[in-house]
Amino acid sequence: MSVTIYDVANKANVSMATVSRVINGNTNVKPATRQKVMNAIEELGFRPNAVARGLASRKTTSVGVIIPDISNMFFAELARGIEDIATMYKYHIILSSSDQQKNKELDLFDKMLEKQVDGIIFIGSAITEEHIEAFNRSEVPVVLAATVDESSKLPSVNIDYYSAMKDAVQFLISNKYESIGFVASPLNIHANAMKKQGYLDALKDHQLPENEELIFNGDDTYQSGLEAVRHFLHLNNKPSAVLASSDEMALGVIHGAQDAGLNIPEDLTVIGFDNTRLAKMVRPTLSTVVQPMYDIGAVSMRLLTKLLKGEEVDQQQVTLPHRMITRGSTSEK
Amino acid sequence: MSVTIYDVANKANVSMATVSRVINGNTNVKPATRQKVMNAIEELGFRPNAVARGLASRKTTSVGVIIPDISNMFFAELARGIEDIATMYKYHIILSSSDQQKNKELDLFDKMLEKQVDGIIFIGSAITEEHIEAFNRSEVPVVLAATVDESSKLPSVNIDYYSAMKDAVQFLISNKYESIGFVASPLNIHANAMKKQGYLDALKDHQLPENEELIFNGDDTYQSGLEAVRHFLHLNNKPSAVLASSDEMALGVIHGAQDAGLNIPEDLTVIGFDNTRLAKMVRPTLSTVVQPMYDIGAVSMRLLTKLLKGEEVDQQQVTLPHRMITRGSTSEK
DNA sequence: GTGAAAGCGCTAACAG
DNA sequence: CTGTTAGCGCTTTCAC
C-alpha cells in the first residue's frame, strides 16, 4: 500500500489537515512547519492520490473531450489546442472519439459525467434536441468547439462558416470565374450546411445561376475529392474553379484533375477550406480558407476554464476571424 | 447533490451492498431484487460515481497515454488504435503530449500515477535510465508503443526498424541504385538510430561506400524533407534515390525535387517510411515502408489489458511485421 | 441472497 | 496557525 497523507502527518508530527494544507499551497502554515512536512513528503516519496482528492473535493481537475476522430488531422490539431491550454490550467484531458455517431456521442457524454469530469468540450456533428437536453441536464459546463448548434444558446467557439465560404466564392467571382464547382462536406453537420449556403448566396448575390451539377456531396476524404473532380470533368459545362469544403478533399480535387491531364491553376482553380498542414504539402500549394483549428481548441478550453471558475463571460458564443490565403492553386485574373 | 447508491438502496428497500452488487453485475442477487433495484436506478436517474468507485476499489478503469504530439498524424493514428481497444475493454484514456521532452515525459508519468491510472502506454523518445527507473518504481504496468528501449526489458510493441530500413535499401540496390541518399529522423530516438544503422549495414553488405554527404539529418517535418533534397542536389555526386525516415519528410523530398525541375521517379526515386495516409496524397504516390501505427497502438493496448488482468504473457516484447509498398515514386529497373 | 460496517485517502468546516 | 471531526460515494469483507 502506498504512502498516504496520514503517514506524512505522522512522520512530520503534525495533523493530516496540516499536510493537506501544504500540498494544497494553503498559506496558513508556518514556514517551519511547512518545511517539516515537505521533508517528510520527500523522504516518504509521498504522492497525493487524485482520486481521493476528487472524491473529497468534488473536483477532479480533468475535463472530457469528445471528438469525432482523433486520427483526423483537423481534429488532432484542435485537440492539441485544447490540451495545451488545459495543461496550462492544470487540467487533464480524457479523450474519446465518437466517429460522429450520435449514440456514441451521447454515451461518451454520460461516461464522462460518471468519471466526474469538471467540464466537457464537445466536438461533434449535428446538435440535436437530445444533445441539448443532455448538456443542460449536466451539472458541469459544456463548450462546443468547431461545432455549431442552431439555437445558439450553448457556449461555443467557431468561425463564421457562412461568411468564410461566401468570401471565397466572392474572391473567385471577382476574378472572373463564373462556373464554380462546390464539393460539400456532409450536410447533416450544420457548419457544413452553412458553408454551402454561403456558396449559394454568393452566387445569387452576383446573379449567377445555381447549378445542381456543380455541387458534389463529398464525405471529407481525399478519395471523395478524387471522385468529385471526376464528376465535374464529365460535365458539358465544366467548372473553371472548384471550392472544396475541406483541404483534404481539395487535395483530392487537385490530384484528380492532374491525373486527368489538367494543369492547376491554369485549367482549374482550386480552393480548400481549413488550412491544415496539408495545404502546403501539395503542388501547386493550396489556396484555402483559414480555419484556425488550434486556436478554436485553445479558445474553447480557455472559455471552459472561465466557466469552471465561475468567471463572468460576456460572450459565450465566440466567433474567431477567418481569412483566405492564396497560394499556387489559384490564379488571379 | 446528485443521487447516490444510498438513495437507490432506500427507494428499493435494500441495502447499499445489494445495489452495489447489481451495478457491478454480481450474480449473487435474486432476479426479483435485481429488478427492484434496476427500477429504482432508472427512476432516480442514478449514475455511479466513478471517482468514489475508484477510491474504494483502487481501480479507475482509465489508462494514461503519454504521446509526443497528438497533432502529428503518425501519433494520432497510433492513439486511435490505443483508444479503440481501450474502449473495447471499457477503459478511458487520459491523453497528454510530451513534445518528446524528457522532463515533460517524466512529469506526466508522475501526474498520471497521481490520477491512479491503472496502466500507462508510453510513446516517447529515448528511454533513459531515469525513464526505466520511474517505470519500474511504478506499481502499474507500463507498455512502450513504437518506442524502443535498448535494454529490451520493458513490455513494448514495435516493428523491427533496423530490418525494415535495411529491406528498403536492399530493394533499391537490387534495382541497381548505388547512390542512395538518406534523410534521417532525430537520432536520439533509438528507433531512428536503428533505421540509420539498417541503411548503413545494407550498404556495407553490398560493398557500397558509406558517404556522409548522402546522409541528411532531418527533424521529421515536411520542411526538412525540402531542405534535404536541396542539400542533395548541390552535391557533385547526386543520389539517384532517396530514402526518408518518415513519409512527411519523403513528401518534402518529392516536392523539393519537383520544384527543382526533376521528375519523380525518373530523375529521383523516393521511398518513405510509415505509410501514413499522406503516402497516397501526393503525386506520384509514395512508395514506403509500412509501419502499422494503428496496429501498434491496438496491440500495445491489448498487451496492457493482459498485464492489467494479470494474464500470462509469454512475449512482452512484441515485434509486428513490416513490409514495403511500392507506388509511383519508385521505378524498378 | 442480503445486510452491517469498516474503510479507500483526502478535503473542509469548525474549533481552539 | 494547527488539530479534530465528519464525510465524499462506493467496494468489500464478514456475518447472518
Side-chain angles (χ1 to χ4, degrees), chain B residues 15 28 36 78 89 119 130 145 158 167 172 195 224 235 238 242 308 316:
Chain B
S15 73
N28 288 128
K36 260 198 316 190
L78 194 65
Y89 285 87
E130 277 178 85
N158 286 292
D167 290 352
L172 287 172
K195 291 184 205 168
S224 78
L235 261 31
K238 298 182 187 38
V242 170
L308 255 19
Q316 300 221 152

Side-chain angles (χ1 to χ4, degrees), chain B residues 180-321:
Chain B
I180 303 173
F182 183 75
V183 188
S185 297
L187 297 170
N188 60 322
I189 296 170
H190 196 59
N192 294 333
M194 286 170 74
K195 291 184 205 168
K196 181 175 173 185
Q197 198 56 52
Y199 162 77
L200 260 18
D201 287 359
L203 292 185
K204 193 179 295 169
D205 285 357
H206 293 267
Q207 281 83 41
L208 290 173
E210 171 185 336
N211 181 348
E212 267 304 324
E213 288 187 331
L214 288 180
I215 298 176
F216 183 91
N217 290 309
D219 62 2
D220 267 340
T221 63
Y222 177 78
Q223 182 61 32
S224 78
L226 248 26
E227 288 161 15
V229 78
R230 203 172 301 150
H231 161 77
F232 289 142
L233 296 182
H234 275 108
L235 261 31
N236 290 324
N237 173 224
K238 298 182 187 38
S240 52
V242 170
L243 248 144
S245 234
S246 73
D247 284 349
E248 188 167 330
M249 291 198 298
L251 248 64
V253 169
I254 289 181
H255 288 151
Q258 289 171 338
D259 291 349
L262 300 192
N263 286 320
I264 311 288
E266 295 79 6
D267 302 330
L268 186 70
T269 278
V270 180
I271 296 182
F273 201 105
D274 289 345
N275 194 34
T276 55
R277 283 169 50 236
L278 248 28
K280 288 200 241 176
M281 292 164 65
V282 59
R283 289 298 180 273
T285 51
L286 180 68
S287 296
T288 193
V289 177
V290 181
Q291 173 170 203
M293 297 87 67
Y294 181 91
D295 294 351
I296 290 178
V299 171
S300 58
M301 184 64 213
R302 181 67 187 99
L303 175 56
L304 185 58
T305 64
K306 285 182 185 161
L307 264 18
L308 255 19
K309 293 201 172 73
E311 291 177 23
E312 273 305 312
V313 179
D314 37 312
Q315 187 51 41
Q316 300 221 152
Q317 286 77 37
V318 180
T319 301
L320 260 27

Side-chain angles (χ1 to χ4, degrees), chain A residues 80 84, chain B residues 67-69 97-102 104-105 108:
Chain A
R80 190 54 144 98
D84 283 355
Chain B
I67 204 163
D69 177 12
S97 297
S98 67
D99 292 315
Q100 260 159 355
Q101 289 169 221
K102 179 175 161 191
K104 267 201 199 176
E105 289 174 344
L108 285 173

